[in-house]
Amino acid sequence: SVLQWKIYDAYMEELQKMERSKEKEKPKTQMAKKEEEKKRGRKLTSLDLQSDDITKISKAAKIMERMVNQNIFDDIAQDFKYFEDASDEYRDQQGTLLPLWKFQYDKTKRLAVTAICWNPKYKDLFAVGYGSYDFMKQGQGMLLLYTMKNPSFPEYVFSSESGIMSLDFHNDRPYLVAVGFYDGNVAIYNLKKATSQPSYKSSAKSGKHTEPVWQVKWQKDDMDNNLNFFSVSSDGRIVSWTLVKNELVHTDVIKLSVEGTTMQGPEGLQLQTLGCGTSFDFHKKIDYLFLVGTEEGKIYKCSKCYSSQFLDVFEAHHMAVDSVSWNPYHLKVFISCSSDWTVKIWDHTIKTPMFVFDLNSAVGDVAWSPYSSTVFAAVTTDGKARVFDLSINKYEALCTQLVVAKKKNKITHIQFNPVYPVVIIGDERGHVTSLKLSPNLRKMPK
């Protein structure tokens, strides 16, 4: 468009001006730098000079790349902003998900999307963790950060020796990402630092898990203002990690043991079988209260204060609990989903679920919407995404839609954007698809 050419011309003019002023400055600055270097007794490489220039150019290049992409994907960008599915009016409360962009990257083709998380401050930015759910095929992992402003290429790329299984952004420091790995380690990545390695990482000495870390969650800083996050793993430990003097210090909060399953060990020793934690969530208001889902299908209600016992146990599912989370509005309500094909909604003061939905396929993930207490979405391994609104229909989804068609592909995770009417869905082929919710799927409660 004409406007963009004008911007481009102005930009080029500015660039030439900068070049000219650089040319004038060069003899002086080069000499000054060389003098300084002589004093320090080290030769200045041309690389050092280049890197300054590169950082200046890279910012401009990033903006250019976004402009070009907005031109290429103009129709989708318009849909993202303005399209409202008019046929919703004739659909009797039903809704649709409109596919927008697909985010894919060459190096993650063979990896599954094992975790996704929106940034709390930059609402267009999300992190994706890659690894594998097949324990026979474990290899390296990747952490990518994408923005909706540039679907063609990730903003940040980190690779790791072990597959990533979980991640979480810090709420007040949105440049920090906590990550849990398949090999039982946890780490903190700092996006402000231009390194490919995490800033802090656990080790065998510092109490790493012995099994995959299925979930990590930031908590409020501790009394001394140290950073603090929790992790849950199949090794049955829930661990609190605190960053003290640039080291990750761990405290075991709870060891899950399977009740009534003390095994007879050698020489008549009583052995406790450990329960395998698969997911957890902290209460939105009551700081010490949290839920833990397990591989056996039970959900434990726990307190940070009691490490030896649980406040309550829910006989929730017949198979692993893949996700558990508190409702952001109703403080007593939580939701759980499982490979046993069901999604269940609970009141934590009652032992039986309030709602049970059978989705005819293993449920990989479930998420509450940020805009309504009654809307949630679930993804199943048969490639379908479903959006429910309990205030409209307590029995059926308002939308059931295929997101990946291939027989060999499964969808793994779903997250609602905190402000836009958009969900992102990850699959086993390393793709993340963003979809727009039609008006019927995002009715605000009265």
Side-chain angles (χ1 to χ4, degrees):
S1 63
V2 183
L3 177 69
Q4 268 158 341
W5 279 116
K6 277 187 181 160
I7 294 172
Y8 178 73
D9 291 341
Y11 165 77
M12 289 311 283
E13 206 174 295
E14 189 60 33
L15 204 63
Q16 280 159 359
K17 261 191 208 161
M18 276 162 67
E19 286 300 322
R20 282 200 294 274
S21 66
K22 252 190 215 153
E23 287 303 320
K24 282 180 197 160
E25 277 175 18
K26 243 184 200 157
K28 194 172 72 187
T29 54
Q30 292 274 32
M31 287 305 289
K33 275 191 178 171
K34 276 190 179 149
E35 286 299 309
E36 230 168 81
E37 289 310 317
K38 265 184 198 159
K39 284 175 198 162
R40 284 198 219 137
R42 172 177 86 81
K43 280 203 178 78
L44 189 75
T45 60
S46 59
L47 278 175
D48 292 341
L49 294 173
Q50 273 175 5
S51 68
D52 300 349
D53 301 349
I54 288 170
T55 40
K56 280 178 189 157
I57 292 169
S58 71
K59 200 169 184 186
K62 190 175 271 185
I63 293 166
M64 283 301 289
E65 183 181 22
R66 289 184 180 186
M67 279 162 67
V68 171
N69 270 311
Q70 272 177 0
N71 269 358
I72 297 171
F73 297 114
D74 181 56
D75 47 343
I76 305 176
Q78 296 295 333
D79 284 349
F80 163 66
K81 272 186 168 159
Y82 305 115
F83 179 75
E84 300 298 349
D85 194 345
S87 53
D88 263 26
E89 292 175 29
Y90 311 103
R91 261 205 206 100
D92 184 39
Q93 319 280 21
Q94 298 277 307
T96 54
L97 292 167
L98 172 76
L100 297 170
W101 295 282
K102 189 178 254 183
F103 298 84
Q104 51 196 67
Y105 182 60
D106 280 350
K107 292 182 180 163
T108 59
K109 274 199 186 108
R110 306 225 162 2
L111 299 171
V113 172
T114 50
I116 42 183
C117 183
W118 287 99
N119 189 291
K121 182 176 177 190
Y122 301 100
K123 309 296 187 202
D124 55 285
L125 190 69
F126 60 92
V128 190
Y130 297 85
S132 168
Y133 284 126
D134 181 347
F135 72 93
M136 297 301 284
K137 286 192 194 139
Q138 282 303 321
Q140 52 129 21
M142 289 201 90
L143 167 63
L144 300 185
L145 277 93
Y146 278 107
T147 165
M148 303 280 274
K149 294 172 181 171
N150 179 6
S152 68
F153 202 77
E155 294 288 293
Y156 296 87
V157 177
F158 301 96
S159 53
S160 57
E161 293 145 41
S162 176
I164 287 174
M165 289 286 126
S166 51
L167 48 87
D168 190 30
F169 274 114
H170 194 287
N171 208 27
D172 308 320
R173 297 183 181 83
Y175 49 88
L176 293 181
V177 191
V179 174
F181 296 96
Y182 186 86
D183 64 7
N185 272 311
V186 294
I188 299 174
Y189 285 86
N190 186 342
L191 304 179
K192 284 185 171 178
K193 296 215 168 105
T195 70
S196 56
Q197 292 307 308
S199 300
Y200 311 100
K201 192 173 175 184
S202 63
S203 66
K205 283 205 299 259
S206 68
K208 82 177 192 69
H209 290 283
T210 51
E211 297 274 331
V213 181
W214 293 114
Q215 203 149 15
V216 286
K217 284 246 182 303
W218 285 104
Q219 287 296 287
K220 290 193 184 77
D221 296 358
D222 74 359
M223 301 294 193
D224 307 320
N225 295 334
N226 295 319
L227 292 166
N228 173 235
F229 69 93
F230 276 59
S231 61
V232 66
S233 158
S234 332
D235 65 5
R237 290 162 61 219
I238 289 149
V239 178
S240 165
W241 300 90
T242 310
L243 191 62
V244 185
K245 296 181 184 147
N246 287 344
E247 255 183 56
L248 280 175
V249 178
H250 81 287
T251 316
D252 283 20
V253 181
I254 274 185
K255 271 201 170 67
L256 300 170
S257 60
V258 185
E259 287 167 52
T261 52
T262 42
M263 287 179 356
Q264 279 288 319
E267 290 153 27
L269 283 171
Q270 294 290 312
L271 294 179
Q272 279 268 230
T273 326
L274 284 179
C276 301
T278 51
S279 54
F280 73 135
D281 193 25
F282 285 92
H283 194 274
K284 304 282 183 266
K285 287 280 182 290
I286 308 168
D287 190 47
Y288 60 83
L289 191 65
F290 63 101
L291 298 165
V292 183
T294 60
E295 222 163 276
E296 301 79 61
K298 290 186 171 72
I299 294 173
Y300 295 101
K301 185 163 80 174
C302 309
S303 161
K304 288 184 194 173
C305 315
Y306 305 106
S307 58
S308 54
Q309 70 214 69
F310 312 116
L311 305 177
D312 222 335
V313 184
F314 301 89
E315 302 288 339
H317 294 279
H318 302 300
M319 289 173 77
V321 180
D322 293 317
S323 176
V324 59
S325 70
W326 292 98
N327 187 298
Y329 298 98
H330 285 292
L331 299 179
K332 279 185 171 180
V333 175
F334 69 89
I335 194 166
S336 65
C337 73
S338 163
S339 312
D340 69 2
W341 297 11
T342 60
V343 169
K344 298 185 181 183
I345 294 176
W346 308 77
D347 175 321
H348 80 85
T349 59
I350 304 170
K351 283 293 189 87
T352 51
M354 299 190 288
F355 296 97
V356 177
F357 301 94
D358 186 334
L359 305 187
N360 293 322
S361 187
V363 189
D365 197 10
V366 68
W368 290 108
S369 85
Y371 50 83
S372 165
S373 60
T374 54
V375 174
F376 66 91
V379 290
T380 44
T381 47
D382 59 0
K384 288 180 185 152
R386 291 175 174 80
V387 184
F388 291 80
D389 186 343
L390 298 174
S391 69
I392 292 168
N393 189 332
K394 293 183 176 61
Y395 307 101
E396 302 281 314
L398 299 189
C399 168
T400 301
Q401 195 164 311
L402 253 184
V403 178
V404 295
K406 292 241 170 58
K407 279 279 179 282
K408 283 184 185 161
N409 199 355
K410 297 184 176 128
I411 47 183
T412 54
H413 287 281
I414 184 164
Q415 285 283 312
F416 282 87
N417 183 288
V419 288
Y420 305 119
V422 166
V423 289
I424 45 175
I425 293 175
D427 64 37
E428 288 206 323
R429 292 278 172 93
H431 301 156
V432 177
T433 312
S434 59
L435 303 105
K436 184 170 183 178
L437 300 143
S438 70
N440 277 355
L441 303 181
R442 50 174 207 264
K443 290 194 171 131
M444 298 295 235
K446 292 276 187 296

